[in-house]
Amino acid sequence: MLCLSGNVESLLKLTPWNWKHLDTSVKVDTPVSVDISLLSHYRLTGKHFNKYQKLEKQRDCASILKFIPNTKGKDGVYTIYPDMKTKKLVYCDTTTEGGGWTVINKRMDGSVDFYRSWDSYKEGFGNVEGEYWLGNEAIHVLTKRRQYELRVDLQKFSGKKAFAKYSKFSVGSESQKFKLTATGKSGWWYGACDQSDLNGQYHKSAVKTDRSYIYALSFLIVHVHAGIEENMVLIKNNFVVLCFFLHFTTTCCITPHSHLQGNVESLLRLTPWNWKHLNTSVKVDIPVSVDISLLSHYRLTGKHFNKYQKLQKQRDCASILKFIPNSKGKDGVYSIYPDMKTKKLVYCDMTTEGGGWTVINKRMDGSVDFYRSWDSYKEGFGNVEGEYWLGNEAIHLLTKGKEHELRVDLQKFTGEKAFAKYSKFSVGSESQKFKLTATGYSGTAGDSLAWHSGRPFSTKDADNDSSKKIACAVLGKAGWWFNSCDHSNLNGPHHKSAVKSDVSINWDHFGKGFSLKTAKMMMRPVK
């Protein structure tokens, strides 16, 4: 494969010139990126200063409330360390029944999908500022050593609220399959199957279904199947308070979303201590990132050197072949500039009939979906090394100022090949709905494009065909110059074998109603 995007020497090898590398210099570009650390010192005085270290790592929300009393009544996002090693963001309820609840489950709006895998529930998921599940492993670590209580808060779409509390709550290890222990009825650790499921599908209104997220413990049996609008599940260590908005004996710590988050001083304001800022120093971290430019000089000699600039921007594959003769016979991906401004990658056929063909459509294996929108066909899509559509706008720009010819290469699943050539080919502007002109047929495939000549382009969201009953682009699952509907459609779905279907890559005169294996459309200026 040949590309012009490689280094200078790979480009020079395509020219007929003699060349010699003279020298290379390095230039440092600005700006230079430097990572810095800001280090501040504070003097702290006050009661209970020996508890300072406990601010750094707290096990749960109860500990945070205990060691940072000013957090009381300030619900929000905090950081806890269930195993005193691994950081975990959590929502703390510091208001309900005295606060200190660690929230392990929060549902409110259906923004998070709770239909997850074992590993996902083990590690936790969601957004602690919205809907989330803390994680079975974290809940187990928190509840394995101390007795905890659980509180479940619920609300119907009618606005009616209720809660359930369990004086004893724990979750076993993974080897125990995270077995639930909760005094009284329990939910979403399924029996056969559930009387409660707070991790079920969220509904936007009260829906009678076992698949919604419901709470159907004994005191709410009358409300079984009623969709719940909002709930929080919390646990709290007996040492602090009874309830379970995750409220264990030790507490999470650190950044309550809008309160503790921020600079050091915002944290210190939550403590009972007196403090004073002493000084701040800046440290430059390594490595330092530097952008550099590599500048090389070459001496070139040879014929047609005045054409050097033309190597930089070529309009199409024919121009590349003309100004880089060594590209002949080297099919591959090149860069062209249809408007001499915008770069476009394209596949060039440098072999067939002398080469210089710009490939605008290539089908081979069904790896690219061609059932696309108007804008997608306008801009182009796919992989130029595989299946792709160059883009209606680019095809228009290439054909509007110079007469072009079109060649269509086709192959059946039997291996039989054929081609069709049109001596006059062009595509109109977008205001003309990319109207097709294709006349002057010759070849072996039969003329299955003449019926489409003069027709505007149609896509699934732009019906420009002549049929009054159906949208041919929707029927054919493709964008094409549909008439009513088609005698050819090279953008239809690719099949893995010959299938008798109009919803396929088809060319009636050659395929006789059966899908084709490969198709390629390519154009070049008429000499």
Side-chain angles (χ1 to χ4, degrees), residues 52-121:
Y52 171 69
Q53 291 299 325
K54 294 181 180 179
L55 279 172
E56 295 182 0
K57 288 186 179 181
Q58 299 297 340
R59 192 179 298 275
D60 59 16
C61 297
S63 298
I64 291 176
L65 182 64
K66 179 180 179 182
F67 294 112
I68 313 178
N70 288 12
T71 58
K72 187 170 183 178
K74 297 176 180 178
D75 300 346
V77 179
Y78 293 74
T79 302
I80 64 171
Y81 295 82
D83 59 0
M84 298 309 290
K85 296 177 183 178
T86 308
K87 177 179 177 181
K88 195 89 174 173
L89 286 178
V90 72
Y91 193 92
C92 291
D93 181 317
T94 59
T95 306
T96 304
E97 290 191 78
W101 296 98
T102 301
V103 179
I104 62 171
N105 177 325
K106 189 144 60 89
R107 303 297 302 277
M108 59 199 353
D109 55 16
S111 58
V112 173
D113 180 12
F114 274 67
Y115 187 43
R116 302 271 185 146
S117 67
W118 178 270
D119 288 341
S120 191
Y121 269 95

Side-chain angles (χ1 to χ4, degrees), residues 71-298:
T71 58
K72 187 170 183 178
K74 297 176 180 178
D75 300 346
V77 179
Y78 293 74
T79 302
I80 64 171
Y81 295 82
D83 59 0
M84 298 309 290
K85 296 177 183 178
T86 308
K87 177 179 177 181
K88 195 89 174 173
L89 286 178
V90 72
Y91 193 92
C92 291
D93 181 317
T94 59
T95 306
T96 304
E97 290 191 78
W101 296 98
T102 301
V103 179
I104 62 171
N105 177 325
K106 189 144 60 89
R107 303 297 302 277
M108 59 199 353
D109 55 16
S111 58
V112 173
D113 180 12
F114 274 67
Y115 187 43
R116 302 271 185 146
S117 67
W118 178 270
D119 288 341
S120 191
Y121 269 95
K122 175 184 174 182
E123 299 301 326
F125 55 85
N127 175 10
V128 289
E129 294 179 1
E131 295 197 330
Y132 79 101
W133 179 259
L134 179 63
N136 290 339
E137 185 63 32
I139 301 171
H140 162 65
V141 171
L142 288 168
T143 60
K144 71 178 179 179
R145 290 193 178 92
R146 296 178 183 270
Q147 186 171 329
Y148 280 84
E149 61 180 342
L150 171 70
R151 176 180 171 115
V152 181
D153 282 75
L154 307 165
Q155 182 179 355
K156 293 183 179 180
F157 283 94
S158 65
K160 185 177 180 181
K161 296 181 180 180
F163 73 93
K165 280 182 64 175
Y166 299 84
S167 59
K168 186 177 181 181
F169 169 77
S170 66
V171 169
S173 65
E174 186 172 18
S175 64
Q176 297 171 310
K177 300 180 180 178
F178 299 121
K179 176 184 170 186
L180 171 70
T181 299
T183 300
K185 294 283 186 179
S186 62
W188 73 97
W189 278 264
Y190 294 97
C193 280
D194 63 75
Q195 287 186 315
S196 66
D197 178 6
L198 301 189
N199 290 336
Q201 181 179 353
Y202 185 88
H203 294 276
K204 298 300 182 182
S205 60
V207 177
K208 187 164 185 175
T209 169
D210 288 336
R211 291 294 152 261
S212 63
Y213 88 80
I214 64 174
Y215 187 69
L217 298 183
S218 57
F219 79 101
L220 281 179
I221 285 292
V222 47
H223 297 296
V224 171
H225 309 312
I228 302 298
E229 183 177 37
E230 182 175 354
N231 74 65
M232 292 189 191
V233 181
L234 322 95
I235 59 175
K236 179 177 179 179
N237 189 312
N238 283 342
F239 178 80
V240 184
V241 181
L242 295 175
C243 107
F244 182 51
F245 264 60
L246 259 180
H247 197 47
F248 309 107
T249 305
T250 58
T251 305
C252 61
C253 167
I254 288 193
T255 10
H257 171 55
S258 58
H259 303 292
L260 294 184
Q261 185 176 0
N263 56 37
V264 176
E265 295 184 6
S266 67
L267 176 63
L268 291 173
R269 289 190 186 104
L270 296 173
T271 71
W273 312 326
N274 297 317
W275 55 273
K276 181 181 179 182
H277 178 224
L278 300 180
N279 60 64
T280 298
S281 60
V282 175
K283 174 189 175 185
V284 177
D285 296 334
I286 54 173
V288 174
S289 299
V290 181
D291 294 329
I292 65 170
S293 296
L294 191 65
L295 182 63
S296 295
H297 293 88
Y298 292 83

